[in-house]
Amino acid sequence: MGDKTILDVKDLSTHYFTSKGVVKALDDVSFQLKGGKSLGVAGESGCGKSTMAYSLLKMVQPPGRIVKGSINLDGMEVTKLDENSARKKLRWQKVSMVFQGAMDIMTPVYTVGHQMKEPLRYLMDITGDEAEEICKKYLDMVDLDFELFNRYPHELSGGQKQRIIIATALLLEPDVVILDEPTTALDVVVEARIMNDLKILKKQLDNGMIFITHDLSILAEISDDLAVMYAGWIVELGDSKKIYRDPKHPYTKKLIAAIPRLHVDIDRLEYIPGAPPELTNPPKGCRFHPRCEHAFGRCNKEEPEEHDVDGILVKCHLYDERGN
Amino acid sequence: MPASLKYFILRSINAVIVLFIVVLIIAFLYSDMADRMAEGRIADEVRAYAGGLPTELTQEQRSQLIREERARLEEIHGLHDPFYEKVFRRTWDTFTFRLGESNSRTYYGASDARVTTIIQHYLPRTILLFTTAAVISILLGIGMGLKAAQVAGTKVDKALSIFGILTASLPMWWVGMLVILIFAFSLGWFPAASYPFPTETGYEYYKGVLIRMAMPLATIVFVSVGGRAWATRNMVTSILQDDYIMAARAKGIPERKVIYGHTLKTAAPPIVTSAILSFLLSIGGAMITEVIFNWPGMGYLLRTAIFAESDMPVIMGIVYITTLLWVVGYLLADMLYGFLDPRVEVGAEKKV
Amino acid sequence: MSIRIDDIKERALSMMKEFKGQRMGMIGFSIIIFLLAISLLSPWLAPDTDGQWANPGRWEDNPRSAAPNWADYILPGTRAPHDIREDYDELDRTFMTIKYVYENEYDYPPSDITVFVSGTSSESRIRLYIDLIRPDGENILFVDESVSITNGTFSYRFSLRSSAGRDRSYDFGLNAHRDFFPDDLTPPDRESVNIQMVPFAKLNENILLDPESLKGTYTLEVEAVGIDEYDDEGTRVLFRGMKYGLMGTDSNRKNLALGWVHGAKYALIIGGIVSLSSISIALLYGMTSAYYGGWVDEIMQRANEILLGIPIFPILVITMYAIGRSIWILVLIYVILGWRGLAKIIRARGIQIRQDTYVEAAQSLGSSGGRVITRHMIPQLLPYAIAEGALMIPMVVIAEAGLSVLGLADPTVVTWGRMLSEANQYHATISGLWWWILLPGLGLTLLGFGFITTGMALERVVNPKMRQR
Ligand SMILES: Nc1ncnc2c1ncn2[C@@H]1O[C@H](COP(=O)(O)OP(=O)(O)OP(=O)(O)O)[C@@H](O)[C@H]1O
Ligand SMILES: [Mg+2]
């Protein structure tokens, strides 16, 4: 697929219209994904990561709605799709997703096989032995025995379930695979093994991938690009190794400092004071300013611009002068 | 599958224990009452015996003879057997359907006095009415609930919920009284009483039965369908909020398959079992509804036995058969759940 | 780490606020308050009812099968009200005649006239005449009888509904009928005629078939030949109404409104006892099971499952039949068996709470088991138990009513169920006595609706997950 941009998201805003007010879960988010590349998305809980993923599938749950922006997926405008064509043209064929909280992602009363074959059957009209062959191929890929095919979800371990879900996501060879915290429901050992598998898979396959996690350390290894989200914004976007080595945004800096490292004393572990804001009523100006050490006059008044700093896009007033 | 086999076995044991407990209660109460009845009968017989004694006997001889006769009769009736023995005997008899004979001289229209015969005469009509009503109400209720869940939050959905709550708080048989008042008394569309049953044969017979059945059937369905629909709706909406439904949709599965496949198949075990259970729970109400409509089934028989005849053996028999039906139905519901839900395990929570 | 009284108070207050936002719940709650108020006021609202329900003497002065007073507003036609005359309108001393004037302006004339005559006489016998003079000049002589005097006094009772009264009424109607149909060989027989209306009916061809009220002034005349003086106390006339009171009367003259009040009282008593006991037992059982977990939980759950399999209806029938027809037996059975379902819910919820960290924290800080249960689990579980327990009340009350209809009514108390059972026994449905069926049943419905909506609203308050529904 080369370096062709397959996913181009521009000024995307998705809001939830709840009885308590409008939750601005995603505001003016833009990024691109090139074919075969991977993008990591990191941020604290509730900053809109899953919302972004749902938006790409055109599956924002009510009372949510995409209110603005465009999602161009290999020439297809996702935001304009109606429900039926989203189902027939977009979902699973172009974009597939491994949902967060993998324990309840499989329907309890169908066998693994039944659920794996479903997208083949309903979207590609492939059934019977042919479908099983394809499933077998992907089960192999995630290191699972075909014997699991006839089991029910409750007869599987968490790790097995997660692998099956990953295999199912790869089944139709979509342009983009979204993995929304694929390992949160698992224990550390299994988590490490799955991440390892994913790294290998990524090398084998040429799908674009979006990794969503609140754990930055994983992303540095697995993703080419990195997007750091805060309160519905992407505050920093660029090459993941670069960002990891030299973060620009104060929030990213804090985030990276908060990663526990083996050789660092536990006492010195940093944490970010305060809590992320209510998205119904985000702070004026920069949404991070109430928690930011470097905040100054402009921060609580004007929304910061995006600045290109050494090839990294940063949404912060600190870089205002330097950029101009 | 060993897990589900264990489940089935444990459930069956539960059923037997329940049946045993109830039969023991029956036997306990029966033995006590039977003793009192026997005492009354013995007193009568002794009085008759005393009256028939030759007059030339001395007072002493008389009382001696009377004492002997009383002792003989008490022996026959087993009055001096230990209580636990009586209870045990009665328990065993009940278990083996030796339910005794009715006190009533009419046999309630059955061919002989045995309680089993009498119940056999009445039970089929209860089953006819009750199962017809159950099938209609369950099918209709689940259909309505499913539709409501798909339009959750709309006016139709809210109206159905209110209908469900309102009818759930109504005593079924009272609605039956109102139905008679409206459709039999005011409008005169149907006969007010189902009894006597039609005597014709063939087509006329079935027509007669249907006309008599219309009102009680409509009553049972009317009262139960709203609650059924509401319960179904709640189960389906809660499953629709589950993650795997969202995942199924993301996989591009057609909405129809999501609803009738993933959702309904997951909801089926609790829906079906709770439908059966709530119908079992309404046995009492349905039997009273029979009384209201004079539908000649078990309820009608029970009331006649209580009110007109004070017929202990028949009442005991009805209580036992009702319990048996309940226990079997309950077990069936359990088994069906185990059959429908691959997750069953012993002690697993039913998702209701 | 413990929950203080203030926290509980705060929690209760916030729940109350939340509850007030639930419209259905508020309606239901008002209904409960209404029923409660009526029950508390029952000794004043409905005196001499409870023990007197089956005593015909208590209800003697009432009309039989009278509709509620408000029936005139919702149904066509006007009904004669209940009219008791303690004093005569006129006394003619020359013939010792007393007169009662009755203005019939109703489509449904009085259901009965009952005349009590008593007086003193020095003779050994007197002759008594009672007749009704109609607006059209017709005169129906109901009584022409000689009455013996004992100890110088006599008392006499006559009713249009007595067999003599019915005879006279029928004869009057039949005569009129013959005038219109001289050749009718099979006139409607006594049983098929609406006989109570004939004395007040227009003299037309329908007098036996479908009588129509003749409006105007009627005079009831009592003449006692040979009497010295009428006794004012014992001489009175009842023009019994076709409507009566707030809820009408049953076919045995019982004032249904009075019974209703006591019905509400007993419904709350039996429902209240059962639900309170069930809540307590279920809390104790469910929490113990949830708190200890392991094999204790396992055994307790197995036992509860067996209990859950016991059908309550046959047990009620058999015990009430064999031991005694008493609401207290019903209450006892429900106290024994009523808590089982609730205990299961409580346990499930309790396990959830146990997993909440702070209970564990409290435990690790060395609180004893009992302390953890009382300080942490009860405050959280109690609202649940109450919400679910509220739903039991209508269930028990309806069960009581149903058993009454089966013939197991408690003869010592008045319940809605007993009223309905009597309605069924005396064929209220096919006689069209709708109020007798509607109003006690409405009590059951109100109670059911009240507690179910309140319980559900409470459920929503204590269980936020349900709020989305
Ligand atoms: N269905 C919904 N209705 C209303 N608000 C919602 C809904 N779903 C999400 N939100 C809100 O939108 C914001 C973003 O949620 P989102 O699930 O996208 O966060 P996230 O970054 O994925 O968090 P996490 O790491 O915990 O998964 C949150 O403030 C959340 O409360
Ligand atoms: Mg998320």
Side-chain angles (χ1 to χ4, degrees):
Chain A
M1 283 205 183
D3 267 4
K4 191 172 146 253
T5 298
I6 47 160
L7 177 66
D8 187 3
V9 176
K10 266 210 195 78
D11 299 334
L12 184 66
S13 294
T14 300
H15 296 172
Y16 292 99
F17 297 86
T18 69
S19 54
K20 296 213 170 88
V22 181
V23 181
K24 301 184 187 79
L26 212 58
D27 245 353
D28 280 325
V29 162
S30 306
F31 65 91
Q32 296 184 335
L33 185 67
K34 295 203 163 65
K37 295 284 179 201
S38 63
L39 170 74
V41 180
E44 278 168 299
S45 186
C47 67
K49 303 184 295 293
S50 299
T51 304
M52 187 181 86
Y54 295 142
S55 303
L56 297 183
L57 274 164
K58 188 83 201 334
M59 259 194 75
V60 181
Q61 298 299 302
R65 188 152 42 83
I66 296 175
V67 291
K68 191 171 127 265
S70 81
I71 301 170
N72 189 317
L73 183 72
D74 203 12
M76 179 163 63
E77 181 49 52
V78 170
T79 53
K80 299 261 160 29
L81 290 177
D82 62 42
E83 178 62 21
N84 201 31
S85 33
R87 181 177 81 72
K88 286 197 175 131
K89 291 190 207 138
L90 170 71
R91 290 181 201 152
W92 231 251
Q93 299 180 66
K94 298 273 185 206
V95 184
S96 69
M97 177 159 169
V98 173
F99 285 87
Q100 188 175 0
M103 306 317 273
D104 300 329
I105 288 304
M106 296 177 88
T107 305
V109 292
Y110 284 121
T111 58
V112 167
H114 181 101
Q115 302 192 51
M116 267 193 94
K117 285 189 290 188
E118 272 175 326
L120 290 170
R121 176 161 153 214
Y122 295 120
L123 294 173
M124 317 300 288
D125 254 333
I126 301 172
T127 52
D129 291 345
E130 197 185 339
E132 281 192 20
E133 275 312 307
I134 299 175
C135 294
K136 194 166 169 9
K137 181 177 139 201
Y138 283 94
L139 282 177
D140 277 347
M141 215 176 274
V142 293
D143 240 354
L144 280 181
D145 210 70
F146 188 65
E147 181 256 326
L148 298 182
F149 210 60
N150 290 320
R151 292 222 199 142
Y152 284 98
H154 72 278
E155 295 164 333
L156 304 176
S157 72
Q160 286 172 324
K161 245 191 267 187
Q162 194 60 311
R163 282 156 201 263
I164 283 171
I165 289 161
I166 292 169
T168 313
L170 300 173
L171 217 52
L172 302 189
E173 296 176 0
D175 295 341
V176 179
V177 180
I178 305 171
L179 298 121
D180 188 358
E181 313 208 12
T183 55
T184 36
L186 308 171
D187 66 61
V188 217
V189 181
V190 183
E191 173 175 1
R193 280 188 44 204
I194 295 230
M195 283 326 287
N196 218 24
D197 290 352
L198 283 174
K199 264 185 262 171
I200 298 167
L201 273 178
K202 203 197 134 218
K203 283 190 195 120
Q204 292 175 2
L205 302 167
D206 53 10
N207 312 57
M209 285 196 181
I210 298 180
F211 281 101
I212 296 175
T213 178
H214 50 254
D215 184 354
L216 261 174
S217 60
I218 295 175
L219 292 181
E221 295 180 62
I222 207 165
S223 61
D224 305 312
D225 282 345
L226 178 63
V228 178
M229 287 187 70
Y230 185 81
W233 287 354
I234 291 183
V235 291
E236 185 157 3
L237 175 68
D239 182 83
S240 68
K241 299 232 166 40
K242 260 198 211 165
I243 294 181
Y244 198 68
R245 233 179 293 120
D246 178 20
K248 303 279 187 275
H249 196 281
Y251 176 64
T252 317
K253 286 180 184 160
K254 286 278 180 196
L255 216 52
I256 288 173
I259 298 172
R261 258 164 275 219
L262 282 179
H263 49 270
V264 177
D265 215 350
I266 281 289
D267 304 340
R268 292 202 26 235
L269 200 62
E270 298 230 13
Y271 68 99
I272 310 172
E278 284 284 333
L279 290 181
T280 37
N281 192 14
K284 242 179 88 97
C286 173
R287 288 184 179 180
F288 185 60
H289 83 257
R291 299 168 77 187
C292 183
E293 292 174 353
H294 310 282
F296 59 98
R298 208 178 304 162
C299 291
N300 60 10
K301 294 188 195 74
E302 292 166 37
E303 188 178 321
E305 301 274 306
E306 274 172 19
H307 305 289
D308 190 326
V309 186
D310 309 335
I312 291 171
L313 286 175
V314 190
K315 190 166 174 151
C316 179
H317 284 302
L318 286 178
Y319 301 93
D320 282 357
E321 287 79 27
R322 257 186 274 171
N324 291 339
Chain B
M1 266 191 250
S4 55
L5 193 67
K6 196 177 155 208
Y7 171 86
F8 288 142
I9 291 171
L10 258 168
R11 293 286 158 178
S12 309
I13 293 174
N14 268 7
V16 174
I17 295 176
V18 165
L19 199 61
F20 185 75
I21 292 175
V22 178
V23 169
L24 209 63
I25 295 174
I26 294 177
F28 194 84
L29 296 171
Y30 198 144
S31 299
D32 192 48
M33 253 204 146
D35 279 1
R36 271 184 277 151
M37 288 193 313
E39 273 163 17
R41 220 173 299 137
I42 290 169
D44 285 346
E45 283 179 42
V46 168
R47 211 169 299 126
Y49 174 82
L53 284 174
T55 40
E56 58 272 16
L57 296 171
T58 66
Q59 189 60 35
E60 218 142 281
Q61 285 170 311
R62 282 179 73 90
S63 42
Q64 173 68 20
L65 280 172
I66 288 172
R67 224 176 299 127
E68 280 166 14
E69 173 67 5
R70 185 189 301 275
R72 193 181 67 83
L73 286 171
E74 283 177 355
E75 189 59 43
I76 290 177
H77 286 282
L79 270 188
H80 298 302
D81 297 346
F83 190 66
Y84 72 86
E85 206 177 300
K86 284 186 256 180
V87 171
F88 180 78
R89 208 183 313 133
R90 179 66 58 190
T91 306
W92 184 243
D93 282 352
T94 309
F95 255 123
T96 50
F97 291 99
R98 278 173 292 190
L99 302 175
E101 295 198 348
S102 159
N103 298 336
S104 159
R105 245 167 277 136
T106 63
Y107 315 152
Y108 309 86
S111 57
D112 64 62
R114 271 177 302 155
V115 171
T116 40
T117 317
I118 294 170
I119 288 180
Q120 267 170 34
H121 190 75
Y122 282 86
L123 185 60
R125 297 176 190 140
T126 293
I127 291 181
L128 173 69
L129 177 62
F130 201 57
T131 45
T132 314
V135 169
I136 295 177
S137 158
I138 288 176
L139 291 182
L140 207 63
I142 291 178
M144 281 162 67
L146 208 58
K147 278 278 163 288
Q150 279 171 280
V151 295
T154 61
K155 281 212 174 70
V156 179
D157 174 47
K158 288 204 175 107
L160 185 82
S161 295
I162 290 173
F163 174 72
I165 297 167
L166 279 180
T167 52
S169 51
L170 295 176
M172 184 191 283
W173 45 270
W174 177 64
V175 175
M177 291 174 108
L178 295 182
V179 166
I180 296 178
L181 209 50
I182 295 169
F183 294 99
F185 176 77
S186 281
L187 299 173
W189 291 356
F190 296 97
S194 312
Y195 200 73
F197 246 42
T199 46
E200 301 91 344
T201 50
Y203 169 74
E204 283 299 315
Y205 174 80
Y206 290 108
K207 194 178 140 202
V209 171
L210 269 183
I211 288 177
R212 284 166 173 78
M213 207 159 101
M215 282 198 304
L217 190 67
T219 303
I220 301 179
V221 171
F222 173 80
V223 174
S224 55
V225 78
R228 194 95 315 283
W230 194 58
T232 306
R233 174 221 175 261
N234 284 349
M235 273 176 239
V236 172
T237 44
S238 87
I239 286 177
L240 280 175
Q241 286 170 7
D242 280 348
D243 288 346
Y244 49 82
I245 297 302
M246 190 171 63
R249 287 193 174 125
K251 280 198 289 184
I253 299 171
E255 186 62 16
R256 227 171 47 81
K257 294 278 172 190
V258 173
I259 298 289
Y260 293 97
H262 289 254
T263 309
L264 201 54
K265 198 157 188 257
T266 313
I271 286 179
V272 172
T273 28
S274 84
I276 295 178
L277 286 183
S278 68
F279 249 90
L280 288 176
L281 277 173
S282 70
I283 283 186
M287 282 171 79
I288 300 156
T289 308
E290 287 187 351
V291 171
I292 301 296
F293 286 101
N294 280 314
W295 176 266
M298 296 282 277
Y300 178 86
L301 177 65
L302 179 60
R303 184 186 140 96
T304 316
I306 292 174
F307 232 110
E309 310 275 356
S310 201
D311 195 346
M312 186 74 171
V314 171
I315 296 167
M316 292 291 182
I318 294 171
V319 165
Y320 175 61
I321 298 295
T322 318
T323 308
L324 194 66
L325 287 179
W326 155 279
V327 169
V328 170
Y330 198 86
L331 186 64
L332 205 76
D334 269 346
M335 297 276 172
L336 211 56
Y337 192 96
F339 178 74
L340 288 173
D341 193 329
R343 286 169 297 181
V344 299
E345 269 167 51
V346 185
E349 287 298 315
K350 280 177 204 168
K351 195 177 175 185
V352 175
Chain C
M1 282 312 292
S2 67
I3 292 181
R4 271 166 292 116
I5 294 294
D6 285 353
D7 294 343
I8 295 177
K9 220 162 93 188
E10 199 173 296
R11 199 167 135 86
L13 279 177
S14 82
M15 275 185 188
M16 231 150 81
K17 223 173 105 198
E18 189 93 50
F19 185 86
K20 279 189 188 150
Q22 310 252 351
R23 196 151 38 99
M24 284 277 255
M26 280 313 280
I27 296 174
F29 193 64
S30 325
I31 293 175
I32 296 174
I33 295 293
F34 166 73
L35 292 175
L36 198 67
I38 282 192
S39 313
L40 289 175
L41 294 175
S42 65
W44 297 276
L45 286 175
D48 287 338
T49 302
D50 230 355
Q52 302 282 328
W53 193 243
N55 170 17
R58 164 74 173 88
W59 314 105
E60 206 176 14
D61 277 358
N62 291 352
R64 243 180 237 286
S65 308
N69 272 335
W70 41 268
D72 279 357
Y73 299 113
I74 58 164
L75 290 174
T78 51
R79 287 153 190 77
H82 196 54
D83 189 352
I84 300 178
R85 304 285 181 85
E86 299 291 346
D87 304 309
Y88 38 75
D89 297 316
E90 233 176 83
L91 167 66
D92 181 344
R93 286 210 155 269
T94 46
F95 298 103
M96 283 314 274
T97 313
I98 48 175
K99 285 184 182 156
Y100 296 85
V101 180
Y102 185 83
E103 211 59 57
N104 176 32
E105 50 203 30
Y106 314 104
D107 301 320
Y108 299 98
S111 57
D112 177 32
I113 304 175
T114 306
V115 185
F116 297 91
V117 191
S118 80
T120 53
S121 173
S122 39
E123 321 260 326
S124 66
R125 303 189 79 80
I126 57 160
R127 189 130 196 116
L128 190 71
Y129 303 93
I130 298 177
D131 51 4
L132 182 70
I133 302 150
R134 295 162 31 109
D136 57 4
E138 293 283 337
N139 187 337
I140 313 173
L141 178 64
F142 282 107
V143 176
D144 172 358
E145 219 176 287
S146 107
V147 179
S148 56
I149 309 289
T150 39
N151 297 333
T153 62
F154 76 99
S155 64
Y156 186 87
R157 180 185 188 274
F158 167 77
S159 155
L160 283 188
R161 294 217 176 189
S162 65
S163 74
R166 296 163 77 91
D167 283 352
R168 296 292 157 273
S169 302
Y170 182 68
D171 291 347
F172 177 76
L174 190 63
N175 265 332
H177 182 79
R178 289 240 165 85
D179 288 346
F180 291 100
F181 306 101
D183 304 326
D184 188 358
L185 293 179
T186 52
D189 66 18
R190 197 169 311 220
E191 304 319 313
S192 62
V193 171
N194 184 0
I195 210 151
Q196 70 184 45
M197 221 170 135
V198 171
F200 295 95
K202 281 184 186 158
L203 279 183
N204 60 20
E205 64 272 23
N206 280 334
I207 188 158
L208 288 186
L209 304 165
D210 183 15
E212 211 182 308
S213 172
L214 172 69
K215 297 180 182 177
T217 309
Y218 290 74
T219 310
L220 184 85
E221 223 174 62
V222 180
E223 184 181 350
V225 180
I227 192 175
D228 294 342
E229 210 61 62
Y230 284 101
D231 166 27
D232 282 347
E233 280 286 295
T235 303
R236 53 207 283 268
V237 170
L238 271 57
F239 293 92
R240 296 193 198 258
M242 284 296 283
K243 58 182 182 185
Y244 183 83
L246 207 56
M247 296 195 181
T249 60
D250 70 8
S251 64
N252 293 316
R253 303 208 160 104
K254 296 195 282 266
N255 183 346
L256 294 173
L258 302 191
W260 203 93
V261 168
H262 289 275
K265 180 184 76 182
Y266 282 110
L268 290 181
I269 290 177
I270 60 176
I273 294 177
V274 169
S275 90
L276 284 182
S277 76
S278 298
I279 289 171
S280 327
I281 302 176
L283 266 177
L284 204 69
Y285 194 93
M287 280 191 317
T288 313
S289 185
Y291 177 78
Y292 288 103
W295 61 269
V296 176
D297 180 46
E298 181 77 15
I299 288 176
M300 289 179 84
Q301 285 320 299
R302 279 301 91 72
N304 195 14
E305 252 161 40
I306 290 171
L307 285 181
L308 274 165
I310 297 180
I312 220 163
F313 171 73
I315 303 255
L316 282 171
V317 169
I318 196 74
T319 46
M320 287 183 78
Y321 181 77
I323 301 175
R325 295 165 200 211
S326 158
I327 50 169
W328 305 118
I329 292 199
L330 173 112
V331 167
L332 182 74
I333 299 284
Y334 266 104
V335 168
I336 294 174
L337 287 175
W339 53 271
R340 52 200 180 157
L342 194 52
K344 196 172 160 175
I345 301 173
I346 299 282
R347 173 202 167 252
R349 185 72 193 132
I351 284 190
Q352 230 171 302
I353 291 176
R354 197 173 68 116
Q355 282 161 354
D356 283 3
T357 41
Y358 74 90
V359 170
E360 269 165 34
Q363 235 172 328
S364 64
L365 282 179
S367 307
S368 71
R371 237 177 117 76
V372 171
I373 286 183
T374 51
R375 307 276 316 252
H376 298 278
M377 290 178 102
I378 287 187
Q380 294 217 43
L381 289 174
L382 192 65
Y384 263 93
I386 292 174
E388 300 285 332
L391 304 179
M392 289 197 65
I393 294 177
M395 199 177 81
V396 181
V397 175
I398 287 175
E400 189 278 332
L403 289 164
S404 298
V405 174
L406 277 178
L408 296 169
D410 185 333
T412 62
V413 297
V414 195
T415 62
W416 291 328
R418 182 163 173 210
M419 294 163 81
L420 284 169
S421 126
E422 286 168 353
N424 184 52
Q425 196 179 342
Y426 294 101
H427 309 294
T429 45
I430 47 177
S431 323
L433 309 181
W434 51 268
W435 56 91
W436 192 358
I437 296 159
L438 191 70
L439 298 170
L442 212 60
L444 294 174
T445 312
L446 277 180
L447 183 91
F449 181 80
F451 279 102
I452 287 177
T453 48
T454 307
M456 282 191 348
L458 263 177
E459 232 172 22
R460 266 164 221 250
V461 171
V462 298
N463 185 0
K465 222 176 100 190
M466 280 189 57
R467 257 174 256 165
Q468 305 157 355
R469 285 188 190 161

